[in-house]
Amino acid sequence: MLSWVNGAPGEQLSVRDRGLAYGDGLFETIAVRGGRIPLLARHMARLADGCRRLSIPLDLVLIERELQAFSGQLGEGVAKLIVSRGEGQRGYAPPQPCQPLRILQAAPLPQYPAAHAEQGVRLFPCETRLAEQPLLAGLKHLNRLEQVLARAEWQDPECAEGLMRDSSGRVIEGVYSNLFLVVDGGLVSAQLSRCGVAGVMRAEILQQAQLLGLSVELRDVSFDELLDADEVFLCNSLYGIWPVRALQERHWSVGPLTRKLQAIVCDLLSK
Amino acid sequence: MLSWVNGAPGEQLSVRDRGLAYGDGLFETIAVRGGRIPLLARHMARLADGCRRLSIPLDLVLIERELQAFSGQLGEGVAKLIVSRGEGQRGYAPPQPCQPLRILQAAPLPQYPAAHAEQGVRLFPCETRLAEQPLLAGLKHLNRLEQVLARAEWQDPECAEGLMRDSSGRVIEGVYSNLFLVVDGGLVSAQLSRCGVAGVMRAEILQQAQLLGLSVELRDVSFDELLDADEVFLCNSLYGIWPVRALQERHWSVGPLTRKLQAIVCDLLSK
């Protein structure tokens, strides 16, 4: 598959890169359709925010140009962008100056069973909790051991996603998705001020909900509230929206608001 | 400098390695003296524990043999060992089977000012807090953004290390060291059940303290207790022991127990 390192074809990086040593970097997982990137502006905005918060001096104009060229060659698939702070000597202190590393890797679009989007998925209740770290909350950074541990908790293909809570038991997100509740005709989702990844599809859905005139609350969500919700759905930038049909003994049917947003998002992703 | 990848000279790894993608791996920073590794057994024990807890099927016999051969070639210096879960397809699920990656990198022994060990160091009080994640506590894993952020908080060379507290304000460790208090003639150090790195030099000092018949308490430590301590010192596997001489307005002189342990550890490291 297509793979670029710093804008040129390549499949290797230095063992001294800080992305490896410390997870000192960020990534984006990007759907590419017909050579185009449906959520380009949102991916770039999140990347810019991450670079600002981690003080990684990435050339955003350059990376956007590379991403577009890469996507043009890829056509259909997933472009995974990894940005690290680059090589460094021993020690945590960020090198001054630093030369960020840019990696683009292609993968096929994942072939999820059609039933995930149509009938919904069962959520596995992960025991692995998300630690609370406000300095990193919302970022799609390279420190992902919690997700690795959580995803390793189940093999049952019946569960397409896992539910992640924080150390205090609050409902946060899926292992590779964000999570929404429909309550009294409005949307509720976890605020991500202590942990979690602020997904680009989550941002898109928040905006679409506003355009539809729906109420939207970003706040703490308890496990009981999740079980009490009228509808529950997951989202990410690759599959769009999956209804949640089951969690433990609770079952949901796919609700009208989930279907409405799913259609909007599906339309957006296929553009 | 000397660099091996999977037992052979090399300086590159695949962009698809999970060590880069997720920080899905472990490391050891190892002092090498005269081709030998003074704390070899402790490094191997911690690595084995980390592999067990992260379910990384590393060949421990092979890696120990490689480490010894590498150290023999290096002579004097630091051997940094990185172990990752290896390459994977897209997604957090650990590949089955997986082929762990083994990297060994050489660096010169750090040239710290002699005053650090003799007169002690000033601690910078970091604002970056360690998030509480029991599943990862104690491990020297590759998710180190908190240390990167903490180390970036100060440039003042007057401060050789930074103090890290957890989200609840408990005193845990330095950015690249463990921390001990001397209280009523005994040692006190943070228990590392929620966060922190269980350093090999910390383990060595705990054992030496036992041999000396000292009382040792591993427990929660408050900031006020730290300020009240009779002596305070830092340790790691490269520099041994540094007395702490100042933190904010508090000043300590170098105490007798710090000196005694420092001599023991210095002897051990120079063997």
Side-chain angles (χ1 to χ4, degrees), chain A residues 11-13 15-16 22-23 105-106 129 133 142-146 238, chain B residues 11-13 15-16 22-23 90 105-106 129 133 142-146:
Chain A
E11 302 211 328
Q12 303 234 293
L13 73 152
V15 294
R16 296 190 193 266
Y22 307 131
Q105 301 169 54
R129 300 304 172 98
Q133 177 49 275
L142 297 175
N143 281 199
R144 291 288 155 216
L145 273 172
E146 290 176 336
L238 297 185
Chain B
E11 302 209 329
Q12 303 231 294
L13 73 152
V15 294
R16 297 189 192 266
Y22 307 131
R90 241 188 39 73
Q105 301 168 55
R129 300 304 172 98
Q133 176 50 274
L142 298 175
N143 280 200
R144 291 288 154 215
L145 273 171
E146 290 175 336

PDB file of all heavy atoms in Angstrom, chain A residues 11-13 15-16 22-23 105-106 129 133 142-146 238, chain B residues 11-13 15-16 22-23 90 105-106 129 133 142-146:
ATOM      1  N   GLU A  11       8.723   3.749   3.861  1.00  0.00           N
ATOM      2  CA  GLU A  11       7.994   2.893   4.802  1.00  0.00           C
ATOM      3  C   GLU A  11       8.739   2.757   6.112  1.00  0.00           C
ATOM      4  O   GLU A  11       8.441   1.880   6.906  1.00  0.00           O
ATOM      5  CB  GLU A  11       7.810   1.503   4.190  1.00  0.00           C
ATOM      6  CG  GLU A  11       7.083   1.540   2.864  1.00  0.00           C
ATOM      7  CD  GLU A  11       6.258   0.294   2.616  1.00  0.00           C
ATOM      8  OE1 GLU A  11       6.666  -0.779   3.082  1.00  0.00           O
ATOM      9  OE2 GLU A  11       5.197   0.427   1.975  1.00  0.00           O
ATOM     10  N   GLN A  12       9.755   3.603   6.326  1.00  0.00           N
ATOM     11  CA  GLN A  12      10.563   3.431   7.530  1.00  0.00           C
ATOM     12  C   GLN A  12      10.792   4.775   8.211  1.00  0.00           C
ATOM     13  O   GLN A  12      10.711   5.839   7.578  1.00  0.00           O
ATOM     14  CB  GLN A  12      11.919   2.835   7.142  1.00  0.00           C
ATOM     15  CG  GLN A  12      11.793   1.516   6.409  1.00  0.00           C
ATOM     16  CD  GLN A  12      12.602   0.431   7.041  1.00  0.00           C
ATOM     17  OE1 GLN A  12      13.824   0.486   7.034  1.00  0.00           O
ATOM     18  NE2 GLN A  12      11.936  -0.537   7.622  1.00  0.00           N
ATOM     19  N   LEU A  13      11.074   4.689   9.494  1.00  0.00           N
ATOM     20  CA  LEU A  13      11.456   5.882  10.245  1.00  0.00           C
ATOM     21  C   LEU A  13      12.614   5.522  11.160  1.00  0.00           C
ATOM     22  O   LEU A  13      12.904   4.348  11.373  1.00  0.00           O
ATOM     23  CB  LEU A  13      10.277   6.444  11.036  1.00  0.00           C
ATOM     24  CG  LEU A  13       9.830   5.672  12.278  1.00  0.00           C
ATOM     25  CD1 LEU A  13       9.192   6.635  13.269  1.00  0.00           C
ATOM     26  CD2 LEU A  13       8.844   4.579  11.915  1.00  0.00           C
ATOM     27  N   VAL A  15      14.800   4.878  14.473  1.00  0.00           N
ATOM     28  CA  VAL A  15      14.561   4.350  15.823  1.00  0.00           C
ATOM     29  C   VAL A  15      14.667   5.458  16.876  1.00  0.00           C
ATOM     30  O   VAL A  15      14.248   5.265  18.015  1.00  0.00           O
ATOM     31  CB  VAL A  15      15.552   3.227  16.189  1.00  0.00           C
ATOM     32  CG1 VAL A  15      15.336   2.002  15.314  1.00  0.00           C
ATOM     33  CG2 VAL A  15      17.004   3.693  16.104  1.00  0.00           C
ATOM     34  N   ARG A  16      15.215   6.619  16.498  1.00  0.00           N
ATOM     35  CA  ARG A  16      15.359   7.706  17.474  1.00  0.00           C
ATOM     36  C   ARG A  16      14.196   8.695  17.435  1.00  0.00           C
ATOM     37  O   ARG A  16      14.232   9.747  18.074  1.00  0.00           O
ATOM     38  CB  ARG A  16      16.691   8.448  17.261  1.00  0.00           C
ATOM     39  CG  ARG A  16      17.876   7.514  17.531  1.00  0.00           C
ATOM     40  CD  ARG A  16      19.236   8.185  17.576  1.00  0.00           C
ATOM     41  NE  ARG A  16      20.267   7.154  17.537  1.00  0.00           N
ATOM     42  CZ  ARG A  16      20.846   6.617  18.628  1.00  0.00           C
ATOM     43  NH1 ARG A  16      20.530   7.040  19.828  1.00  0.00           N
ATOM     44  NH2 ARG A  16      21.746   5.658  18.521  1.00  0.00           N
ATOM     45  N   TYR A  22       8.231   8.098  22.941  1.00  0.00           N
ATOM     46  CA  TYR A  22       7.328   8.649  23.959  1.00  0.00           C
ATOM     47  C   TYR A  22       5.878   8.766  23.500  1.00  0.00           C
ATOM     48  O   TYR A  22       5.046   9.300  24.243  1.00  0.00           O
ATOM     49  CB  TYR A  22       7.821  10.044  24.365  1.00  0.00           C
ATOM     50  CG  TYR A  22       9.271  10.102  24.782  1.00  0.00           C
ATOM     51  CD1 TYR A  22      10.143  11.052  24.258  1.00  0.00           C
ATOM     52  CD2 TYR A  22       9.771   9.183  25.701  1.00  0.00           C
ATOM     53  CE1 TYR A  22      11.481  11.100  24.634  1.00  0.00           C
ATOM     54  CE2 TYR A  22      11.105   9.215  26.075  1.00  0.00           C
ATOM     55  CZ  TYR A  22      11.952  10.175  25.546  1.00  0.00           C
ATOM     56  OH  TYR A  22      13.269  10.204  25.915  1.00  0.00           O
ATOM     57  N   GLY A  23       5.577   8.325  22.273  1.00  0.00           N
ATOM     58  CA  GLY A  23       4.244   8.623  21.733  1.00  0.00           C
ATOM     59  C   GLY A  23       4.071  10.126  21.595  1.00  0.00           C
ATOM     60  O   GLY A  23       2.961  10.654  21.728  1.00  0.00           O
ATOM     61  N   GLN A 105       0.022   6.824   5.617  1.00  0.00           N
ATOM     62  CA  GLN A 105      -0.101   5.409   5.275  1.00  0.00           C
ATOM     63  C   GLN A 105      -1.491   5.148   4.730  1.00  0.00           C
ATOM     64  O   GLN A 105      -2.479   5.602   5.304  1.00  0.00           O
ATOM     65  CB  GLN A 105       0.023   4.537   6.518  1.00  0.00           C
ATOM     66  CG  GLN A 105       1.290   4.660   7.295  1.00  0.00           C
ATOM     67  CD  GLN A 105       1.151   3.947   8.639  1.00  0.00           C
ATOM     68  OE1 GLN A 105       0.799   2.791   8.724  1.00  0.00           O
ATOM     69  NE2 GLN A 105       1.399   4.685   9.713  1.00  0.00           N
ATOM     70  N   ALA A 106      -1.560   4.358   3.667  1.00  0.00           N
ATOM     71  CA  ALA A 106      -2.864   3.996   3.106  1.00  0.00           C
ATOM     72  C   ALA A 106      -3.313   2.636   3.621  1.00  0.00           C
ATOM     73  O   ALA A 106      -2.500   1.772   3.913  1.00  0.00           O
ATOM     74  CB  ALA A 106      -2.771   3.959   1.593  1.00  0.00           C
ATOM     75  N   ARG A 129     -10.561   1.660  32.228  1.00  0.00           N
ATOM     76  CA  ARG A 129     -11.082   3.022  32.374  1.00  0.00           C
ATOM     77  C   ARG A 129     -10.123   4.028  31.749  1.00  0.00           C
ATOM     78  O   ARG A 129      -8.916   3.802  31.718  1.00  0.00           O
ATOM     79  CB  ARG A 129     -11.266   3.366  33.861  1.00  0.00           C
ATOM     80  CG  ARG A 129     -12.236   2.437  34.584  1.00  0.00           C
ATOM     81  CD  ARG A 129     -13.583   2.404  33.900  1.00  0.00           C
ATOM     82  NE  ARG A 129     -14.479   1.394  34.454  1.00  0.00           N
ATOM     83  CZ  ARG A 129     -15.418   1.653  35.355  1.00  0.00           C
ATOM     84  NH1 ARG A 129     -15.581   2.875  35.810  1.00  0.00           N
ATOM     85  NH2 ARG A 129     -16.198   0.681  35.795  1.00  0.00           N
ATOM     86  N   GLN A 133      -6.874  13.197  32.363  1.00  0.00           N
ATOM     87  CA  GLN A 133      -5.705  14.036  32.094  1.00  0.00           C
ATOM     88  C   GLN A 133      -6.144  15.210  31.215  1.00  0.00           C
ATOM     89  O   GLN A 133      -6.110  15.141  29.981  1.00  0.00           O
ATOM     90  CB  GLN A 133      -4.627  13.200  31.385  1.00  0.00           C
ATOM     91  CG  GLN A 133      -3.375  13.959  30.980  1.00  0.00           C
ATOM     92  CD  GLN A 133      -2.780  14.812  32.068  1.00  0.00           C
ATOM     93  OE1 GLN A 133      -3.206  15.966  32.255  1.00  0.00           O
ATOM     94  NE2 GLN A 133      -1.827  14.276  32.818  1.00  0.00           N
ATOM     95  N   LEU A 142      -0.619  10.026  20.297  1.00  0.00           N
ATOM     96  CA  LEU A 142      -0.092   8.678  20.065  1.00  0.00           C
ATOM     97  C   LEU A 142       0.026   7.841  21.345  1.00  0.00           C
ATOM     98  O   LEU A 142       0.580   6.751  21.295  1.00  0.00           O
ATOM     99  CB  LEU A 142       1.283   8.763  19.380  1.00  0.00           C
ATOM    100  CG  LEU A 142       1.312   9.409  17.986  1.00  0.00           C
ATOM    101  CD1 LEU A 142       2.752   9.537  17.481  1.00  0.00           C
ATOM    102  CD2 LEU A 142       0.488   8.609  16.982  1.00  0.00           C
ATOM    103  N   ASN A 143      -0.477   8.312  22.454  1.00  0.00           N
ATOM    104  CA  ASN A 143      -0.456   7.535  23.711  1.00  0.00           C
ATOM    105  C   ASN A 143      -1.764   6.769  23.808  1.00  0.00           C
ATOM    106  O   ASN A 143      -2.747   7.270  24.381  1.00  0.00           O
ATOM    107  CB  ASN A 143      -0.295   8.453  24.925  1.00  0.00           C
ATOM    108  CG  ASN A 143       1.145   8.923  25.173  1.00  0.00           C
ATOM    109  OD1 ASN A 143       1.487   9.359  26.260  1.00  0.00           O
ATOM    110  ND2 ASN A 143       1.986   8.851  24.168  1.00  0.00           N
ATOM    111  N   ARG A 144      -1.816   5.586  23.280  1.00  0.00           N
ATOM    112  CA  ARG A 144      -3.087   4.876  23.119  1.00  0.00           C
ATOM    113  C   ARG A 144      -3.125   3.507  23.800  1.00  0.00           C
ATOM    114  O   ARG A 144      -3.888   2.635  23.390  1.00  0.00           O
ATOM    115  CB  ARG A 144      -3.394   4.736  21.624  1.00  0.00           C
ATOM    116  CG  ARG A 144      -3.719   6.059  20.960  1.00  0.00           C
ATOM    117  CD  ARG A 144      -5.096   6.573  21.403  1.00  0.00           C
ATOM    118  NE  ARG A 144      -5.180   8.023  21.279  1.00  0.00           N
ATOM    119  CZ  ARG A 144      -5.841   8.791  22.144  1.00  0.00           C
ATOM    120  NH1 ARG A 144      -6.488   8.261  23.168  1.00  0.00           N
ATOM    121  NH2 ARG A 144      -5.870  10.093  21.988  1.00  0.00           N
ATOM    122  N   LEU A 145      -2.315   3.339  24.836  1.00  0.00           N
ATOM    123  CA  LEU A 145      -2.318   2.032  25.508  1.00  0.00           C
ATOM    124  C   LEU A 145      -3.674   1.700  26.139  1.00  0.00           C
ATOM    125  O   LEU A 145      -4.056   0.542  26.204  1.00  0.00           O
ATOM    126  CB  LEU A 145      -1.211   1.971  26.570  1.00  0.00           C
ATOM    127  CG  LEU A 145       0.154   1.527  26.040  1.00  0.00           C
ATOM    128  CD1 LEU A 145       1.223   1.698  27.115  1.00  0.00           C
ATOM    129  CD2 LEU A 145       0.108   0.076  25.570  1.00  0.00           C
ATOM    130  N   GLU A 146      -4.394   2.715  26.588  1.00  0.00           N
ATOM    131  CA  GLU A 146      -5.708   2.431  27.181  1.00  0.00           C
ATOM    132  C   GLU A 146      -6.646   1.803  26.150  1.00  0.00           C
ATOM    133  O   GLU A 146      -7.394   0.876  26.448  1.00  0.00           O
ATOM    134  CB  GLU A 146      -6.326   3.718  27.741  1.00  0.00           C
ATOM    135  CG  GLU A 146      -5.587   4.230  28.974  1.00  0.00           C
ATOM    136  CD  GLU A 146      -6.137   5.558  29.473  1.00  0.00           C
ATOM    137  OE1 GLU A 146      -6.752   6.296  28.667  1.00  0.00           O
ATOM    138  OE2 GLU A 146      -5.951   5.862  30.666  1.00  0.00           O
ATOM    139  N   LEU A 238     -14.939   7.011   9.695  1.00  0.00           N
ATOM    140  CA  LEU A 238     -14.905   5.990   8.649  1.00  0.00           C
ATOM    141  C   LEU A 238     -16.281   5.388   8.394  1.00  0.00           C
ATOM    142  O   LEU A 238     -16.709   5.255   7.254  1.00  0.00           O
ATOM    143  CB  LEU A 238     -13.910   4.890   9.006  1.00  0.00           C
ATOM    144  CG  LEU A 238     -12.446   5.323   9.129  1.00  0.00           C
ATOM    145  CD1 LEU A 238     -11.558   4.114   9.376  1.00  0.00           C
ATOM    146  CD2 LEU A 238     -11.981   6.077   7.886  1.00  0.00           C
TER     147      LEU A 238
ATOM    148  N   GLU B  11      18.906   1.017  11.991  1.00  0.00           N
ATOM    149  CA  GLU B  11      18.506   2.289  12.605  1.00  0.00           C
ATOM    150  C   GLU B  11      17.099   2.679  12.221  1.00  0.00           C
ATOM    151  O   GLU B  11      16.701   3.822  12.427  1.00  0.00           O
ATOM    152  CB  GLU B  11      19.473   3.391  12.159  1.00  0.00           C
ATOM    153  CG  GLU B  11      20.914   3.087  12.511  1.00  0.00           C
ATOM    154  CD  GLU B  11      21.719   4.333  12.743  1.00  0.00           C
ATOM    155  OE1 GLU B  11      21.430   5.357  12.114  1.00  0.00           O
ATOM    156  OE2 GLU B  11      22.643   4.274  13.599  1.00  0.00           O
ATOM    157  N   GLN B  12      16.358   1.718  11.602  1.00  0.00           N
ATOM    158  CA  GLN B  12      15.026   2.085  11.127  1.00  0.00           C
ATOM    159  C   GLN B  12      14.010   1.040  11.543  1.00  0.00           C
ATOM    160  O   GLN B  12      14.352  -0.114  11.810  1.00  0.00           O
ATOM    161  CB  GLN B  12      15.052   2.181   9.604  1.00  0.00           C
ATOM    162  CG  GLN B  12      16.095   3.173   9.106  1.00  0.00           C
ATOM    163  CD  GLN B  12      15.527   4.150   8.128  1.00  0.00           C
ATOM    164  OE1 GLN B  12      15.118   3.784   7.033  1.00  0.00           O
ATOM    165  NE2 GLN B  12      15.466   5.401   8.527  1.00  0.00           N
ATOM    166  N   LEU B  13      12.760   1.475  11.589  1.00  0.00           N
ATOM    167  CA  LEU B  13      11.659   0.542  11.825  1.00  0.00           C
ATOM    168  C   LEU B  13      10.523   0.893  10.878  1.00  0.00           C
ATOM    169  O   LEU B  13      10.515   1.958  10.267  1.00  0.00           O
ATOM    170  CB  LEU B  13      11.201   0.586  13.283  1.00  0.00           C
ATOM    171  CG  LEU B  13      10.422   1.816  13.738  1.00  0.00           C
ATOM    172  CD1 LEU B  13       9.497   1.439  14.882  1.00  0.00           C
ATOM    173  CD2 LEU B  13      11.355   2.930  14.169  1.00  0.00           C
ATOM    174  N   VAL B  15       6.927   2.057   9.496  1.00  0.00           N
ATOM    175  CA  VAL B  15       5.924   3.048   9.885  1.00  0.00           C
ATOM    176  C   VAL B  15       4.663   2.374  10.427  1.00  0.00           C
ATOM    177  O   VAL B  15       3.821   3.036  11.023  1.00  0.00           O
ATOM    178  CB  VAL B  15       5.528   3.955   8.693  1.00  0.00           C
ATOM    179  CG1 VAL B  15       6.699   4.827   8.259  1.00  0.00           C
ATOM    180  CG2 VAL B  15       4.982   3.161   7.514  1.00  0.00           C
ATOM    181  N   ARG B  16       4.525   1.067  10.217  1.00  0.00           N
ATOM    182  CA  ARG B  16       3.325   0.363  10.703  1.00  0.00           C
ATOM    183  C   ARG B  16       3.518  -0.263  12.074  1.00  0.00           C
ATOM    184  O   ARG B  16       2.679  -1.010  12.561  1.00  0.00           O
ATOM    185  CB  ARG B  16       2.883  -0.697   9.685  1.00  0.00           C
ATOM    186  CG  ARG B  16       2.481  -0.041   8.364  1.00  0.00           C
ATOM    187  CD  ARG B  16       1.816  -0.981   7.366  1.00  0.00           C
ATOM    188  NE  ARG B  16       1.743  -0.317   6.078  1.00  0.00           N
ATOM    189  CZ  ARG B  16       0.684   0.388   5.649  1.00  0.00           C
ATOM    190  NH1 ARG B  16      -0.395   0.468   6.378  1.00  0.00           N
ATOM    191  NH2 ARG B  16       0.707   1.001   4.471  1.00  0.00           N
ATOM    192  N   TYR B  22       0.681   3.571  18.666  1.00  0.00           N
ATOM    193  CA  TYR B  22      -0.075   3.637  19.918  1.00  0.00           C
ATOM    194  C   TYR B  22       0.806   3.736  21.161  1.00  0.00           C
ATOM    195  O   TYR B  22       0.283   3.742  22.273  1.00  0.00           O
ATOM    196  CB  TYR B  22      -0.955   2.373  20.054  1.00  0.00           C
ATOM    197  CG  TYR B  22      -1.829   2.114  18.848  1.00  0.00           C
ATOM    198  CD1 TYR B  22      -1.874   0.850  18.259  1.00  0.00           C
ATOM    199  CD2 TYR B  22      -2.612   3.124  18.299  1.00  0.00           C
ATOM    200  CE1 TYR B  22      -2.680   0.605  17.147  1.00  0.00           C
ATOM    201  CE2 TYR B  22      -3.409   2.891  17.186  1.00  0.00           C
ATOM    202  CZ  TYR B  22      -3.434   1.632  16.617  1.00  0.00           C
ATOM    203  OH  TYR B  22      -4.231   1.393  15.517  1.00  0.00           O
ATOM    204  N   GLY B  23       2.109   3.792  20.983  1.00  0.00           N
ATOM    205  CA  GLY B  23       2.978   3.674  22.149  1.00  0.00           C
ATOM    206  C   GLY B  23       2.821   2.298  22.779  1.00  0.00           C
ATOM    207  O   GLY B  23       2.951   2.137  23.999  1.00  0.00           O
ATOM    208  N   ARG B  90      -4.436  -1.751  10.650  1.00  0.00           N
ATOM    209  CA  ARG B  90      -5.158  -0.661  11.271  1.00  0.00           C
ATOM    210  C   ARG B  90      -6.016  -1.188  12.421  1.00  0.00           C
ATOM    211  O   ARG B  90      -6.562  -2.272  12.331  1.00  0.00           O
ATOM    212  CB  ARG B  90      -6.067  -0.014  10.219  1.00  0.00           C
ATOM    213  CG  ARG B  90      -5.776   1.463   9.939  1.00  0.00           C
ATOM    214  CD  ARG B  90      -6.844   2.057   9.038  1.00  0.00           C
ATOM    215  NE  ARG B  90      -8.172   1.581   9.359  1.00  0.00           N
ATOM    216  CZ  ARG B  90      -8.860   1.947  10.427  1.00  0.00           C
ATOM    217  NH1 ARG B  90      -8.368   2.805  11.280  1.00  0.00           N
ATOM    218  NH2 ARG B  90     -10.051   1.429  10.649  1.00  0.00           N
ATOM    219  N   GLN B 105      19.537   0.911  21.367  1.00  0.00           N
ATOM    220  CA  GLN B 105      20.230   2.122  20.927  1.00  0.00           C
ATOM    221  C   GLN B 105      21.264   2.510  21.969  1.00  0.00           C
ATOM    222  O   GLN B 105      20.973   2.513  23.155  1.00  0.00           O
ATOM    223  CB  GLN B 105      19.268   3.306  20.837  1.00  0.00           C
ATOM    224  CG  GLN B 105      18.103   3.159  19.906  1.00  0.00           C
ATOM    225  CD  GLN B 105      17.103   4.282  20.139  1.00  0.00           C
ATOM    226  OE1 GLN B 105      17.461   5.452  20.088  1.00  0.00           O
ATOM    227  NE2 GLN B 105      15.862   3.929  20.411  1.00  0.00           N
ATOM    228  N   ALA B 106      22.424   2.905  21.500  1.00  0.00           N
ATOM    229  CA  ALA B 106      23.471   3.353  22.419  1.00  0.00           C
ATOM    230  C   ALA B 106      23.496   4.868  22.508  1.00  0.00           C
ATOM    231  O   ALA B 106      23.165   5.563  21.553  1.00  0.00           O
ATOM    232  CB  ALA B 106      24.829   2.849  21.929  1.00  0.00           C
ATOM    233  N   ARG B 129       0.190  17.106  35.897  1.00  0.00           N
ATOM    234  CA  ARG B 129      -0.090  16.046  36.864  1.00  0.00           C
ATOM    235  C   ARG B 129      -0.100  14.686  36.178  1.00  0.00           C
ATOM    236  O   ARG B 129      -0.434  14.591  34.999  1.00  0.00           O
ATOM    237  CB  ARG B 129      -1.457  16.280  37.529  1.00  0.00           C
ATOM    238  CG  ARG B 129      -1.557  17.610  38.279  1.00  0.00           C
ATOM    239  CD  ARG B 129      -0.448  17.720  39.328  1.00  0.00           C
ATOM    240  NE  ARG B 129      -0.408  19.050  39.928  1.00  0.00           N
ATOM    241  CZ  ARG B 129      -0.972  19.344  41.104  1.00  0.00           C
ATOM    242  NH1 ARG B 129      -1.601  18.414  41.783  1.00  0.00           N
ATOM    243  NH2 ARG B 129      -0.878  20.570  41.577  1.00  0.00           N
ATOM    244  N   GLN B 133      -3.977   5.769  36.450  1.00  0.00           N
ATOM    245  CA  GLN B 133      -4.350   4.627  35.604  1.00  0.00           C
ATOM    246  C   GLN B 133      -3.694   3.370  36.180  1.00  0.00           C
ATOM    247  O   GLN B 133      -2.564   3.012  35.820  1.00  0.00           O
ATOM    248  CB  GLN B 133      -3.873   4.876  34.167  1.00  0.00           C
ATOM    249  CG  GLN B 133      -4.113   3.733  33.197  1.00  0.00           C
ATOM    250  CD  GLN B 133      -5.519   3.199  33.204  1.00  0.00           C
ATOM    251  OE1 GLN B 133      -5.865   2.341  34.006  1.00  0.00           O
ATOM    252  NE2 GLN B 133      -6.366   3.734  32.333  1.00  0.00           N
ATOM    253  N   LEU B 142       5.608   3.078  26.683  1.00  0.00           N
ATOM    254  CA  LEU B 142       5.969   4.102  25.692  1.00  0.00           C
ATOM    255  C   LEU B 142       4.979   5.263  25.623  1.00  0.00           C
ATOM    256  O   LEU B 142       5.101   6.110  24.753  1.00  0.00           O
ATOM    257  CB  LEU B 142       6.111   3.461  24.298  1.00  0.00           C
ATOM    258  CG  LEU B 142       7.202   2.393  24.153  1.00  0.00           C
ATOM    259  CD1 LEU B 142       7.137   1.752  22.763  1.00  0.00           C
ATOM    260  CD2 LEU B 142       8.585   2.995  24.373  1.00  0.00           C
ATOM    261  N   ASN B 143       4.020   5.321  26.539  1.00  0.00           N
ATOM    262  CA  ASN B 143       3.062   6.449  26.561  1.00  0.00           C
ATOM    263  C   ASN B 143       3.604   7.498  27.525  1.00  0.00           C
ATOM    264  O   ASN B 143       3.293   7.487  28.723  1.00  0.00           O
ATOM    265  CB  ASN B 143       1.678   5.978  27.022  1.00  0.00           C
ATOM    266  CG  ASN B 143       0.863   5.298  25.929  1.00  0.00           C
ATOM    267  OD1 ASN B 143      -0.351   5.199  26.026  1.00  0.00           O
ATOM    268  ND2 ASN B 143       1.520   4.812  24.901  1.00  0.00           N
ATOM    269  N   ARG B 144       4.398   8.420  27.032  1.00  0.00           N
ATOM    270  CA  ARG B 144       5.147   9.316  27.919  1.00  0.00           C
ATOM    271  C   ARG B 144       4.875  10.789  27.668  1.00  0.00           C
ATOM    272  O   ARG B 144       5.712  11.646  27.979  1.00  0.00           O
ATOM    273  CB  ARG B 144       6.647   9.027  27.783  1.00  0.00           C
ATOM    274  CG  ARG B 144       7.042   7.673  28.345  1.00  0.00           C
ATOM    275  CD  ARG B 144       6.974   7.681  29.879  1.00  0.00           C
ATOM    276  NE  ARG B 144       6.742   6.338  30.404  1.00  0.00           N
ATOM    277  CZ  ARG B 144       6.008   6.080  31.475  1.00  0.00           C
ATOM    278  NH1 ARG B 144       5.446   7.057  32.155  1.00  0.00           N
ATOM    279  NH2 ARG B 144       5.817   4.859  31.874  1.00  0.00           N
ATOM    280  N   LEU B 145       3.689  11.106  27.126  1.00  0.00           N
ATOM    281  CA  LEU B 145       3.396  12.524  26.862  1.00  0.00           C
ATOM    282  C   LEU B 145       3.366  13.359  28.143  1.00  0.00           C
ATOM    283  O   LEU B 145       3.721  14.540  28.123  1.00  0.00           O
ATOM    284  CB  LEU B 145       2.072  12.668  26.111  1.00  0.00           C
ATOM    285  CG  LEU B 145       2.192  12.562  24.589  1.00  0.00           C
ATOM    286  CD1 LEU B 145       0.821  12.485  23.946  1.00  0.00           C
ATOM    287  CD2 LEU B 145       2.982  13.746  24.024  1.00  0.00           C
ATOM    288  N   GLU B 146       2.956  12.754  29.245  1.00  0.00           N
ATOM    289  CA  GLU B 146       2.937  13.534  30.493  1.00  0.00           C
ATOM    290  C   GLU B 146       4.339  13.982  30.871  1.00  0.00           C
ATOM    291  O   GLU B 146       4.551  15.117  31.317  1.00  0.00           O
ATOM    292  CB  GLU B 146       2.318  12.707  31.628  1.00  0.00           C
ATOM    293  CG  GLU B 146       0.826  12.494  31.450  1.00  0.00           C
ATOM    294  CD  GLU B 146       0.234  11.579  32.505  1.00  0.00           C
ATOM    295  OE1 GLU B 146       0.986  10.762  33.086  1.00  0.00           O
ATOM    296  OE2 GLU B 146      -0.992  11.670  32.740  1.00  0.00           O
TER     297      GLU B 146
END
